[in-house]
């Protein structure tokens, strides 16, 4: 389920990139979010969780999560129009690393030396991906440098959104978080109408509607995957998207994977997997101590 959700999200991003030359990010966000709603509502009704998906005790929390998540989506869609598919994917891997730092700052989570070291390793990888833009090499024009900054901003906003999700899951159902995010991002996307929507031809309209439907389907698969296995087991499969991004970028968009993007992505992926592995080991140790009646260190 997780691998399928990653594949579907990657195809969705490819559809967004294919429309990015003519469709502004706000309009893309609206289609991606609004047409995900029917899929999500059908899923909630089938699971008999429709009532839970509509009720909330933390409307402001959903609002802030929606604003930050939508900002991340807008920036990511914008970056797709300026950078190659693999580059945007690799820079996006900075988001879970930034969550580690932000969780320590805002949630009071214990962030020890190992995790900070892996965050440093991962951010070094991001800098390597960004190196053509940072160094101003001939292959990197000014718009590509701007695209790198936009992609990194998207990763930061996505990390902030995850902090709000961590707070929300303590008192809200997953169904409510999924539903109200789609509603909020649809409204924000629609609010961008005065800033220049374009008239869509049939082909572009179909691609945007498909992006929304696929996004809703992928979200369901992602949520369902965590019902059947621990997060520490499932999380590393996020990095399957790099291989898919390379294939789609080459096959569909004629993009080549650059050496800095490859090396940087490998460092970020290594750091992410090591953090997940470490957390899994610590989780096993805490469970062993609880069973033995030993106070955790």
């Amino acid at each position: 389920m997780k691998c399928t959700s990653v594949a579907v999200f990657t195809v969705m991003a490819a559809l967004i990139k294919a429309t990015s030359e003519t469709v502004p990010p706000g309009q893309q966000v609206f289609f991606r979010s609004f047409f995900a709603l029917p899929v999500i509502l059908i899923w909630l009704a089938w699971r008999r969780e429709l009532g839970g998906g509509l009720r909330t005790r933390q409307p402001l929390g959903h609002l802030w999560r929606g604003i930050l998540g939508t900002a991340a989506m807008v920036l990511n869609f914008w970056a797709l129009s300026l950078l190659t598919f693999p580059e945007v994917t690799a820079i996006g891997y900075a988001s879970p690393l930034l969550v580690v730092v932000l969780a320590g700052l805002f949630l009071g989570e214990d962030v020890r030396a190992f995790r900070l070291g892996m965050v440093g390793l991962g951010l070094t990888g991001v800098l390597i991906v960004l190196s053509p833009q940072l160094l101003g090499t001939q292959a990197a024009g000014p718009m590509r440098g701007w695209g790198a900054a936009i992609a990194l901003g998207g990763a930061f906003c996505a990390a902030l959104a995850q902090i709000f999700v961590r707070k929300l899951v303590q008192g809200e159902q997953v169904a409510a978080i999924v539903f109200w995010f789609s509603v909020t991002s649809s409204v924000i996307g629609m609010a961008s109408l005065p800033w220049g929507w374009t008239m869509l031809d049939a082909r572009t309209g179909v691609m945007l509607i498909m992006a929304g439907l696929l996004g809703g389907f992928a979200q369901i698969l992602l949520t369902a995957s965590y019902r059947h296995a621990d997060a520490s087991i499932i999380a590393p499969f996020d990095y399957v998207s790099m291989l898919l991004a390379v294939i789609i970028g080459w096959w569909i968009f004629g993009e080549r994977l650059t050496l800095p993007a490859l090396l940087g992505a490998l460092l970020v992926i290594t750091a992410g997997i090591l953090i997940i592995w470490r957390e899994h080991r610590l989780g096993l140790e805490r469970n062993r101590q609880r069973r033995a009646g030993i106070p955790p260190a």
Side-chain angles (χ1 to χ4, degrees):
M1 284 182 175
K2 181 60 181 286
C3 286
T4 304
S5 75
V6 170
V8 175
F9 271 129
T10 306
V11 172
M12 181 210 77
L15 289 169
I16 293 296
K17 182 174 177 62
T19 64
S20 61
E21 290 187 4
T22 57
V23 183
Q27 189 174 2
Q28 290 175 320
V29 165
F30 171 78
F31 276 85
R32 154 65 181 91
S33 303
F34 182 78
F35 286 96
L37 280 171
V39 181
I40 294 170
L41 288 172
I42 291 170
W43 172 62
L44 293 177
W46 178 68
R47 291 191 57 83
R48 298 180 181 178
E49 295 178 355
L50 190 56
L54 298 176
R55 288 195 300 269
T56 175
R57 294 186 294 273
Q58 302 180 52
L60 285 179
H62 286 288
L63 177 62
W64 282 111
R65 182 267 192 272
I67 291 172
L68 289 167
T70 305
M73 203 186 303
V74 168
L75 293 171
N76 188 56
F77 290 177
W78 192 1
L80 283 169
S81 69
L82 301 172
L83 299 176
T84 68
F85 205 27
E87 285 174 331
V88 175
T89 302
I91 295 171
Y93 290 153
S95 182
L97 301 176
L98 292 171
V99 169
V100 173
V101 177
L102 294 173
L105 291 174
F106 296 116
L107 301 180
E109 294 185 8
D110 187 17
V111 181
R112 299 184 180 181
F114 179 85
R115 281 201 283 179
L116 286 176
M118 291 304 100
V119 169
L121 177 65
L123 294 180
T124 300
V126 172
L127 289 175
I128 292 174
V129 176
L130 298 176
S131 60
Q133 288 76 32
L134 295 175
L135 298 176
T137 60
Q138 187 175 1
M143 292 307 296
R144 286 177 56 78
W146 183 232
I150 290 169
L152 196 56
F156 182 73
C157 288
L160 283 173
Q162 283 301 309
I163 296 299
F164 277 93
V165 170
R166 288 194 182 192
K167 290 184 176 181
L168 286 169
V169 294
Q170 297 173 6
E172 298 282 281
Q173 295 187 35
V174 173
I177 297 172
V178 171
F179 175 77
W180 286 113
F181 171 66
S182 294
V183 170
T184 305
S185 53
S186 296
V187 171
I188 295 174
M190 175 63 77
S192 70
L193 178 62
W195 284 271
W197 280 27
T198 61
M199 185 65 68
L200 303 178
D201 57 51
R203 179 173 176 272
T204 303
V206 168
M207 285 195 291
L208 288 174
I209 291 171
M210 283 299 301
L213 295 174
L214 289 174
F217 180 58
Q219 185 64 57
I220 291 170
L221 287 172
L222 178 64
T223 303
S225 69
Y226 283 97
R227 297 178 186 270
H228 298 285
D230 293 338
S232 58
I233 296 173
I234 291 174
F237 291 100
D238 277 323
Y239 300 114
V240 173
S241 62
M242 190 66 208
L243 176 60
L244 297 173
V246 170
I247 293 172
I248 291 174
W250 167 75
W251 186 34
I252 304 296
F253 303 109
E255 299 170 341
R256 293 184 179 181
L257 179 65
T258 63
L259 183 60
L262 175 61
L263 294 177
L266 288 175
L267 279 182
V268 178
I269 290 170
T270 299
I273 289 176
L274 286 174
I275 288 175
I276 294 164
W277 171 78
R278 176 67 171 169
E279 291 304 303
H280 181 57
R281 293 290 300 272
L282 290 175
L284 292 175
E285 179 64 21
R286 285 192 290 267
N287 289 337
R288 185 191 67 79
Q289 291 178 352
R290 279 196 292 267
R291 287 195 295 269
I294 303 172

